[in-house]
């Protein structure tokens, strides 16, 4: 008799539950909007009054008022369910259209009736439609990537030792002074490993370098290159310090013309081939460099650093076997464009730096390496060593790719909204 009673009670409870589920939407709608962000009000079985909110995926709180965890995205953001609705240019996202809601967002918050950023169509990260130039266009959203502050990136632009600053005219340095410097090697058909260019570690799996380091352009074969981090000398290998990776992908800026008269858009990215799911690991000899905020720059006269394995003097047939460093001064754009210097060869994507007497400069073999400037005790890469006429010649300073012009491009290719801490640089 007791068992039968339990069974009768259970059936009654199930009936009530079914009635509850049927009336949930109307209860929620009639509860004064107590459950937010698509949440559903669950009433009491006995009184029928609101008891708690059943929140949609990605939300929590008494009234489903907060996004679960930090408002960030994992991977490429396919499962991002946050409420950010601003594009990277600062525009307000438009609501998703009915066809998109029906096809992709039926299980989303409010069945997709919102303007929150989402990653539909498998793009690089969450995006949305915005009104731009009097027409509808899509843009990526300004959302941080979850866990982007990995140990290597959290300490970007920091070195573990004081530099021994008392290239051309420079001094031998240890890689601990420049732990973001990368050595890029090309492998010939005979398996000979030839140093090609310098680079800089900007994220655990990405290296920034110059486009002209790859004469075959977009046809360059990834398996013909490797990258070594933490290298003090080209002719020596220290397995306790160095980290070497194959190259998974080479991305050369679309606007770079290898056959052109100048090196405009001389910038490229290398994606390192992960080992056991990991790329670069932080150490005293391997760290990331910070990238500056877009549209910001340092004043002419500011002294910055360059480092590389290039020739110590123009005309030498051999490169330096050791990492060398030098200090150079940023020149004003009008000086670099003066007819006594480079004239109209300098574009808005370039800038010059050197010494008035030409005593310290980048040289052949330094290409692709970083120029870094110290701001608030961190080193920010403002330039990529690009080109110049000779080495250390008067009125012929080194020319560098202006990194601030490519921050958005880098973020889009790398697939991260912010890959470093932005510097608060004074405007020109």
């Amino acid at each position: 008799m007791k068992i039968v009673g339990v069974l009768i009670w259970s059936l009654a409870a199930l009936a009530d539950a079914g009635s509850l589920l049927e009336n949930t939407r109307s209860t929620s709608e009639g509860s004064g909007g107590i459950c937010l962000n698509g949440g559903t009000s669950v009433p009491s079985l006995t009184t029928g009054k609101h008891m708690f909110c059943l929140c949609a995926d990605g939300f929590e709180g008494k009234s489903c008022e907060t996004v679960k965890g930090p408002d960030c995205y994992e991977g490429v953001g396919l499962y991002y369910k946050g409420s950010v609705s601003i594009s990277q240019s600062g525009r307000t996202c438009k609501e998703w259209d009915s066809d998109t809601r029906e096809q992709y967002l039926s299980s989303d918050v409010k069945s997709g009736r919102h303007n929150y950023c989402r990653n539909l169509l498998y793009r690089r990260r969450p995006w949305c439609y915005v009104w731009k130039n009097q027409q509808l266009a899509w843009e990526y959203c300004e959302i941080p990537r979850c866990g982007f502050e990995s140990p290597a990136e959290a300490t970007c632009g920091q070195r573990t030792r004081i530099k021994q600053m008392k290239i051309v005219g420079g001094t031998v340095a240890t890689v601990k002074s420049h732990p973001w410097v990368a050595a890029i090697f090309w492998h010939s058909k005979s398996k000979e490993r030839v140093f090609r260019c310098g680079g800089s570690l900007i994220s655990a799996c990405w290296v920034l370098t110059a486009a002209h380091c790859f004469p075959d352009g977009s046809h360059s074969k990834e398996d013909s290159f490797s990258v070594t981090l933490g290298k003090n000398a080209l002719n020596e290998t220290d397995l306790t310090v160095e980290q070497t990776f194959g190259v998974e992908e080479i991305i050369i800026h679309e606007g770079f013309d290898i056959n052109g008269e100048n090196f405009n858009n001389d910038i490229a990215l290398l994606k390192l081939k992960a080992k056991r799911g990991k790329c670069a690991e932080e150490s005293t000899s391997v760290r990331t460099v910070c990238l500056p905020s877009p549209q910001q720059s340092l004043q002419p006269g500011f002294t910055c650093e360059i480092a590389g394995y290039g020739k110590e003097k123009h005309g030498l047939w051999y490169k330096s076997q050791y990492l060398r460093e030098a200090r150079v001064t940023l020149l004003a754009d009008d000086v670099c464009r003066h007819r006594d210097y480079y004239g109209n060869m300098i574009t808005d994507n370039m800038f010059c730096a050197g010494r008035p007497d030409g005593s310290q400069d980048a040289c052949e073999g330094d290409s692709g390496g970083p120029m870094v400037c110290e701001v608030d005790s961190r080193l920010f890469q403002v330039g990529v060593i690009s080109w110049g006429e000779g080495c250390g010649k008067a009125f012929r300073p080194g020319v560098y790719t202006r990194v601030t012009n490519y921050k958005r491009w880098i973020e889009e290719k790398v697939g991260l909204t912010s890959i470093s801490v932005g510097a608060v640089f004074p405007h020109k």
Side-chain angles (χ1 to χ4, degrees), residues 5 43 71 237 274 290 301 375 380 397 410:
D71 205 351
T237 299
C290 301
V375 178
F380 291 82
I410 294 169

Side-chain angles (χ1 to χ4, degrees), residues 155-194:
T155 54
C156 76
Q158 295 182 334
R159 45 191 167 208
T160 57
R161 61 183 293 274
I162 298 174
K163 288 173 36 53
Q164 296 176 348
M165 188 65 79
K166 310 196 255 193
I167 298 188
V168 174
T171 57
V172 173
T174 68
V175 76
K176 288 182 179 180
S177 297
H178 308 274
W180 35 83
V181 168
I184 302 171
F185 292 89
W186 173 73
H187 303 264
S188 66
K189 291 182 179 179
S190 62
K191 304 302 180 182
E192 182 185 5
R193 192 164 174 256
V194 181

Side-chain angles (χ1 to χ4, degrees), residues 19-285:
S19 176
L20 168 65
L21 290 174
E22 289 178 5
N23 295 321
T24 295
R25 181 181 296 275
S26 60
T27 304
S28 177
E29 291 174 351
S31 62
I34 193 168
C35 298
L36 307 175
N37 296 311
T40 303
S41 175
V42 178
S44 167
L45 287 171
T46 55
T47 66
K49 293 183 178 180
H50 170 77
M51 192 163 60
F52 64 89
C53 288
L54 185 64
C55 299
D57 288 345
F59 293 92
E60 60 186 355
K62 186 177 180 180
S63 301
C64 308
E65 72 278 8
T66 58
V67 178
K68 276 188 179 178
D71 205 351
C72 59
Y73 69 91
E74 300 279 358
V76 295
L78 292 178
Y79 302 106
Y80 173 73
K81 290 293 190 292
S83 57
V84 172
S85 56
I86 299 295
S87 75
Q88 64 182 14
S89 67
R91 293 179 170 87
T92 300
C93 299
K94 309 300 292 183
E95 282 203 359
W96 298 101
D97 61 89
S98 57
D99 289 341
T100 300
R101 293 200 304 266
E102 183 178 347
Q103 190 170 359
Y104 300 107
L105 300 172
S106 58
S107 62
D108 205 309
V109 176
K110 302 178 184 176
S111 298
R113 290 181 176 273
H114 57 68
N115 66 337
Y116 303 151
C117 303
R118 295 290 183 262
N119 188 1
L120 311 180
L121 308 178
Y122 298 95
R123 291 195 166 114
R124 290 182 179 270
R125 62 179 187 268
W127 57 278
C128 69
Y129 287 111
V130 296
W131 196 249
K132 185 178 182 181
N133 299 327
Q134 299 184 332
Q135 62 181 359
L136 206 61
W138 71 270
E139 282 190 359
Y140 287 118
C141 293
E142 199 65 40
I143 307 171
R145 192 171 186 231
C146 298
F148 114 82
E149 283 268 326
S150 65
E153 290 158 336
T155 54
C156 76
Q158 295 182 334
R159 45 191 167 208
T160 57
R161 61 183 293 274
I162 298 174
K163 288 173 36 53
Q164 296 176 348
M165 188 65 79
K166 310 196 255 193
I167 298 188
V168 174
T171 57
V172 173
T174 68
V175 76
K176 288 182 179 180
S177 297
H178 308 274
W180 35 83
V181 168
I184 302 171
F185 292 89
W186 173 73
H187 303 264
S188 66
K189 291 182 179 179
S190 62
K191 304 302 180 182
E192 182 185 5
R193 192 164 174 256
V194 181
F195 175 74
R196 172 62 63 85
C197 271
S200 55
L201 188 69
I202 60 171
S203 180
C205 290
W206 290 90
V207 166
L208 186 66
T209 186
H212 80 262
C213 294
F214 308 93
D216 294 331
S218 58
H219 300 293
S220 300
K221 296 180 179 179
E222 288 84 355
D223 57 6
S224 295
F225 293 90
S226 65
V227 175
T228 298
L229 307 169
K231 195 166 191 63
N232 280 300
L234 293 181
N235 61 348
E236 298 175 5
T237 299
D238 186 349
L239 297 178
T240 64
V241 173
E242 296 177 13
Q243 299 179 35
T244 298
F245 300 88
V247 174
E248 181 177 318
E249 186 178 6
I250 300 173
I251 301 176
I252 295 171
H253 195 280
E254 302 81 356
F256 179 72
D257 183 5
I258 192 68
N259 298 313
E261 294 183 358
N262 65 25
F263 283 174
N264 194 31
N265 299 307
D266 190 13
I267 194 167
L269 288 161
L270 300 184
K271 185 177 183 181
L272 305 181
K273 191 175 292 184
K275 298 179 180 178
R276 297 179 293 279
K278 291 184 178 182
C279 295
E281 296 187 55
E282 185 191 76
S283 70
T284 56
S285 300

